[in-house]
């Protein structure tokens, strides 16, 4: 919609709102006339129906005076004759309850048959009801008969044993409104055709007037479009105006000519700047000597989400992710000050809050006196590369099923724990854990169930250890635990006993299965440097103790020192 509006000529942009206003005004006038005409038609129809009802009341009064009203045939004949009047579709006489009690219920058609009949008799007021059925529109009126001592020269109370003002009945008349609504529709169509013709006439008239006064501006618009389509100011030709023209349009065109000539002279430098900023795939940000952003390129916006107007004058630290400490930035500024450039990886934050990694190269531009004039930072998004590196690193060090450290990371952490133990002179322990009866469950229920059990077992073991401890999966149903820097060797027994207890509890492997599956754990414990002073020997000791636990009946833990063997030394 925006592009379409911008593609219109100035005359069209002026004419369309004017035509829209005229359309609204003519439409409002059209609706007002139709509404007024329709109300007049309906008012006339209501008056006609009331007059007809009044005629029925007079006729019924005459039947009462002559005494003919007591004969049902006379009443039927009167109603039929009155109903033959033009445009009357239905005519009924309604007996009120007081008349029925005194003179009997009367004819079946003389009973109140709907809510409108009852409402008129109760309220003593005339009621109208318009049915705008498309096929057969009608207007119904129900007029009450009010008993009076002098009703058009007749004393109703001489025959009706009721109080004055009582409703004796009502007349219901339904008239055909087909011709009236046809007339309304014909009038509506005539007005619509007239409005359309007038709108067309006004459109061309106003268009001609606008074109006449804005022809110089249209020339200016055509000149702009030509230069835009050629993407060059070289095509600009000054627009001539009437000699001596001093109106606002002439002055506007004069300013436009001067501005365009100046732009044509600076086109080469503009093309150079555009090439630098538009074509570079890397994001570029330029800051002043106080590290305030003065310019960015489109790639910067695509990468960070920030527009120039949003961050002009801001410090780039508004994009800090919080992952780097103060020393990191101090080292970066020190390099810029000493060497005039810095290159490295930074984690920053986009406008939407997403953290991403970027490879940055920053250089400082200096004045002749050596003071900083500008800092130019060029960077690219390396988040995907970092994620791939992290994924490869994770896959190399962690078990994909349980997310525990694998054999490689376990050995690396054990090596580091031994180094810390040597420095702190605090012992560490290694627990070798083998799940008892796992093979039977895995073979009988399938590998998927076995995997579920391994994941649950890993979670239970992890819940038994300290935050500094490491639970790892070596292979299959073999797990290990590193307990570093033990200030109290009793912690080994507490953790080992907790693991045995947790793994001895039943496993419910199916949501729909009420069976509970049981396994247990055989654990071998070796302590560094008491049982061994070398990593490989320590692992062998723990392995021997684990097999001893299995041989002793499983579901238990055994220390290597309990086997009665000498410490393994290198």
């Amino acid at each position: 919609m925006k592009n379409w509006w911008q593609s219109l000529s100035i005359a069209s942009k002026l004419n369309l709102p004017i035509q829209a206003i005229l359309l609204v005004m003519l439409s409002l006038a059209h609706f007002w006339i139709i509404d007024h005409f329709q109300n007049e038609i309906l008012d006339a129809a209501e008056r006609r129906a009331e007059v007809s009802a009044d005629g029925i009341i007079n006729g019924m009064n005459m039947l009462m005076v002559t005494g003919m009203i007591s004969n049902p045939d006379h009443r039927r004949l009167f109603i039929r004759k009155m109903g033959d009047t033009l445009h009357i579709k239905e005519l009924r006489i309604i007996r009120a309850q007081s008349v029925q009690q005194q003179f009997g219920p009367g004819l079946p058609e003389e009973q109140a048959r709907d809510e409108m009949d009852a409402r008129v008799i109760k309220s003593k007021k005339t009621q109208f009801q318009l049915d705008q059925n498309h096929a057969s529109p009608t207007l119904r009126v129900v007029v009450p008969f009010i008993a009076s001592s002098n009703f058009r020269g007749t004393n109703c109370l001489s025959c009706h044993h009721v109080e004055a003002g009582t409703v004796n009945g009502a007349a219901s008349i339904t008239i055909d409104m087909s011709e009236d609504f046809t007339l309304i529709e014909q009038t509506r169509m005539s007005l619509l055709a007239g409005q359309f013709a007038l709108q067309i006439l006004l459109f061309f008239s106003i268009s001609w007037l606008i074109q006449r006064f804005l022809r110089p501006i249209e020339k200016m618009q055509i000149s702009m479009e030509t230069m835009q389509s050629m993407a060059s100011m070289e095509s600009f030709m000054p627009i001539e105006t009437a000699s001596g023209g001093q109106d606002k349009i002439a002055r506007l065109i004069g300013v436009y000519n001067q501005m365009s000539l100046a732009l044509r002279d600076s086109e080469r430098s503009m093309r150079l700047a555009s090439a630098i900023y538009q074509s570079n795939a890397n994001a570029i940000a330029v800051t002043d000597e106080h590290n305030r952003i003065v310019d960015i390129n489109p790639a910067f916006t695509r990468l960070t989400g920030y527009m120039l107007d949003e961050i002009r004058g801001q410090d780039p630290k508004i994009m800090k992710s919080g992952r780097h400490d103060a020393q990191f930035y101090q080292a970066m500024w020190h390099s810029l000050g000493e060497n005039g450039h810095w290159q490295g990886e930074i984690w920053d934050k986009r406008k939407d809050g997403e953290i991403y990694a970027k490879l940055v190269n920053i250089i400082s531009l200096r004045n002749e006196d050596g003071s900083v004039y500008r800092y130019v930072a060029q960077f690219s998004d390396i988040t995907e590369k970092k994620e791939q590196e992290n994924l490869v690193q994770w896959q190399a060090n962690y078990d994909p099923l349980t997310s525990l450290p694998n054999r490689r990371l376990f050995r690396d952490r054990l090596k580091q724990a031994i180094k810390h133990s040597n420095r702190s002179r605090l012992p560490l322990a290694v627990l070798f854990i083998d799940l008892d009866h796992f093979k039977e469950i895995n073979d009988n229920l399938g590998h998927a169930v076995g995997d579920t059990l391994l994941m649950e077992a890993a979670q239970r073991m992890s819940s038994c250890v300290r935050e500094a401890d490491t639970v790892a999966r070596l292979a299959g149903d073999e797990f290990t635990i590193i307990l570093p820097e033990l200030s109290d060797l009793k912690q080994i027994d507490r953790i080992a006993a907790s693991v045995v207890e947790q793994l001895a509890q039943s496993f419910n492997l199916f949501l729909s299965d009420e069976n509970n599956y049981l396994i247990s754990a055989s654990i071998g414990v070796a302590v560094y440097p008491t049982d061994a002073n070398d990593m490989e020997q320590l692992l062998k000791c723990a392995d021997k103790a684990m097999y001893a636990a299995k041989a002793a009946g499983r579901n238990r833990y055994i220390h290597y020192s309990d086997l009665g063997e000498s410490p393994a030394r290198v």
Side-chain angles (χ1 to χ4, degrees):
M1 185 66 179
K2 182 179 179 181
N3 293 335
W4 169 80
W5 176 257
Q6 292 177 346
S7 67
L8 296 177
S9 64
I10 297 177
S12 297
K13 289 179 179 178
L14 290 174
N15 195 12
L16 286 177
I18 294 173
Q19 295 300 326
I21 294 172
L22 289 175
L23 177 61
V24 172
M25 294 177 63
L26 291 175
S27 297
L28 291 175
H30 169 85
F31 290 130
W32 181 85
I33 293 172
I34 287 298
D35 184 66
H36 182 73
F37 181 71
Q38 181 171 315
N39 289 336
E40 289 293 328
I41 293 291
L42 294 178
D43 289 344
E46 289 181 358
R47 289 194 297 270
R48 189 167 74 244
E50 251 185 322
V51 169
S52 298
D54 190 64
I56 294 172
I57 295 174
N58 286 333
M60 292 299 293
N61 188 38
M62 291 302 298
L63 291 179
M64 292 179 195
V65 172
T66 59
M68 298 173 65
I69 195 168
S70 60
N71 189 328
D73 292 333
H74 290 163
R75 295 200 303 276
R76 278 198 177 101
L77 178 62
F78 172 72
I79 293 300
R80 187 174 69 252
K81 292 295 185 181
M82 289 296 295
D84 290 339
T85 304
L86 187 62
H87 300 312
I88 293 181
K89 297 191 68 172
E90 183 190 57
L91 188 150
R92 294 187 304 110
I93 298 297
I94 305 164
R95 283 196 172 197
Q97 191 67 30
S98 59
V99 176
Q100 293 185 33
Q101 292 174 353
Q102 184 176 353
F103 298 104
L107 298 172
E109 60 268 24
E110 294 176 342
Q111 309 302 313
R113 69 182 186 188
D114 58 20
E115 183 183 351
M116 187 174 180
D117 292 343
R119 191 166 59 246
V120 170
I121 292 174
K122 182 178 181 180
S123 66
K124 304 180 183 181
K125 296 180 180 179
T126 300
Q127 300 275 329
F128 295 92
Q129 185 179 61
L130 178 64
D131 183 1
Q132 300 189 50
N133 186 292
H134 183 72
S136 178
T138 59
L139 175 66
R140 181 185 173 198
V141 61
V142 181
V143 182
F145 297 164
I146 308 297
S148 172
S149 59
N150 184 15
F151 182 74
R152 301 177 184 178
T154 303
N155 185 4
C156 302
L157 305 182
S158 61
C159 295
H160 294 277
H161 300 159
V162 297
E163 295 180 358
T166 302
V167 177
N168 285 338
S172 174
I173 297 177
T174 302
I175 64 173
D176 186 6
M177 295 290 292
S178 299
E179 292 187 4
D180 301 271
F181 275 82
T182 300
L183 180 60
I184 292 172
E185 189 61 28
Q186 290 174 348
T187 304
R188 180 183 287 110
M189 296 305 296
S190 298
L191 285 174
L192 189 60
Q195 178 185 349
F196 180 76
L198 181 58
Q199 193 81 43
I200 294 296
L201 178 61
L202 290 173
F203 178 81
F204 287 105
S205 300
I206 294 173
S207 296
W208 179 81
L209 288 172
I210 292 175
Q211 288 285 353
R212 179 180 178 184
F213 287 106
L214 297 184
R215 190 168 293 125
I217 295 181
E218 288 191 344
K219 289 181 179 180
M220 186 168 64
Q221 179 185 2
I222 293 171
S223 175
M224 290 179 177
E225 291 174 348
T226 301
M227 290 184 293
Q228 183 181 12
S229 64
M230 298 183 67
S232 174
M233 295 296 296
E234 295 298 330
S235 61
F236 171 73
M237 295 294 294
I239 300 174
E240 297 182 0
T241 58
S243 178
Q246 294 297 322
D247 58 10
K248 291 183 178 180
I249 294 179
R251 292 199 296 271
L252 172 63
I253 292 176
V255 172
Y256 168 74
N257 287 338
Q258 295 175 6
M259 179 187 67
S260 299
L261 289 171
L263 290 174
R264 186 175 65 181
D265 294 339
S266 62
E267 182 173 357
R268 288 184 177 179
S269 50
M270 289 177 62
R271 286 180 178 177
L272 178 60
S274 177
I276 294 173
Y277 285 96
Q278 298 294 334
S279 62
N280 200 318
N282 291 332
I284 298 175
V286 180
T287 63
D288 60 17
E289 67 276 16
H290 303 296
N291 200 32
R292 300 291 177 178
I293 296 174
V294 296
D295 203 1
I296 61 174
N297 71 338
F300 183 97
T301 299
R302 290 194 299 270
L303 185 60
T304 67
Y306 285 102
M307 303 291 290
L308 178 59
D309 291 342
E310 296 175 300
I311 58 172
R312 181 187 283 114
Q314 298 286 335
D315 193 304
K317 68 181 181 181
I318 64 172
M319 297 179 285
K320 287 175 61 175
S321 65
R323 292 193 178 186
H324 304 287
D325 56 21
Q327 292 180 348
F328 174 86
Y329 294 103
Q330 289 172 1
M332 180 186 75
W333 284 107
H334 177 76
S335 176
L336 279 171
E338 291 292 323
N339 307 317
H341 71 275
W342 179 87
Q343 184 174 6
E345 295 180 0
I346 296 180
W347 286 92
D348 263 359
K349 183 168 60 176
R350 305 186 207 272
K351 180 181 176 181
D352 60 7
E354 179 187 2
I355 305 297
Y356 71 103
K358 62 184 184 181
L359 178 62
V360 188
N361 183 43
I362 306 175
I363 62 172
S364 60
L365 305 179
R366 299 181 180 273
N367 296 310
E368 292 182 359
D369 60 0
S371 61
V372 174
Y373 169 63
R374 289 287 187 265
Y375 293 103
V376 180
Q378 183 173 342
F379 57 91
S380 58
D381 189 344
I382 58 170
T383 308
E384 185 175 352
K385 176 185 175 184
K386 297 292 290 184
E387 290 175 348
Q388 289 294 330
E389 291 176 355
N390 292 337
L391 177 60
V392 171
Q393 185 71 13
W394 189 90
Q395 291 173 338
N397 292 285
Y398 288 88
D399 172 48
L401 178 64
T402 63
S403 297
L404 296 177
N406 61 12
R407 183 184 298 273
R408 180 179 179 275
L409 184 56
F410 162 74
R411 293 180 66 87
D412 181 70
R413 289 191 179 180
L414 180 57
K415 186 183 299 183
Q416 296 300 320
I418 290 174
K419 291 181 180 180
H420 287 300
S421 178
N422 293 332
R423 288 196 296 267
S424 65
R425 299 187 179 279
L426 291 175
L428 67 86
V430 174
L431 280 64
F432 261 37
I433 305 169
D434 188 83
L435 302 183
D436 305 323
H437 310 297
F438 171 76
K439 187 176 185 304
E440 290 88 336
I441 293 177
N442 197 48
D443 292 343
N444 294 331
L445 300 180
H447 294 293
V449 175
D451 289 346
T452 303
L453 189 146
L454 289 174
M455 289 189 287
E456 175 65 22
Q459 292 178 2
R460 294 188 185 185
M461 284 184 277
S462 298
S463 68
C464 298
V465 300
R466 305 168 302 172
E467 185 176 353
D469 301 335
T470 296
V471 180
R473 181 190 179 202
L474 300 186
D477 60 344
E478 296 180 1
F479 295 84
T480 58
I481 298 177
I482 303 172
L483 305 178
E485 296 182 309
L486 294 167
S487 58
D488 183 4
L489 292 179
K490 293 181 180 179
Q491 291 177 312
I492 302 173
D493 293 318
R494 285 196 295 268
I495 293 174
S498 178
V499 172
V500 170
E501 180 184 357
Q502 285 291 322
L503 294 179
Q505 295 179 14
S506 61
F507 288 77
N508 188 286
L509 304 179
F510 304 99
L511 294 176
S512 60
D513 191 353
E514 296 182 356
N515 295 325
N516 293 321
Y517 299 92
L518 297 174
I519 64 170
S520 59
S522 297
I523 304 177
V525 181
V527 179
Y528 176 90
T530 305
D531 297 328
N533 60 358
D534 172 75
M535 183 176 73
E536 297 300 332
Q537 293 298 325
L538 183 67
L539 296 178
K540 289 179 181 180
C541 291
D543 192 47
K544 282 185 179 181
M546 182 268 291
Y547 278 105
K550 278 190 173 293
R554 305 179 179 180
N555 193 29
R556 66 194 64 218
Y557 68 93
I558 291 181
H559 287 267
Y560 176 78
S561 59
D562 294 336
L563 300 181
E565 298 186 13
S566 300
R569 303 294 183 187
V570 177

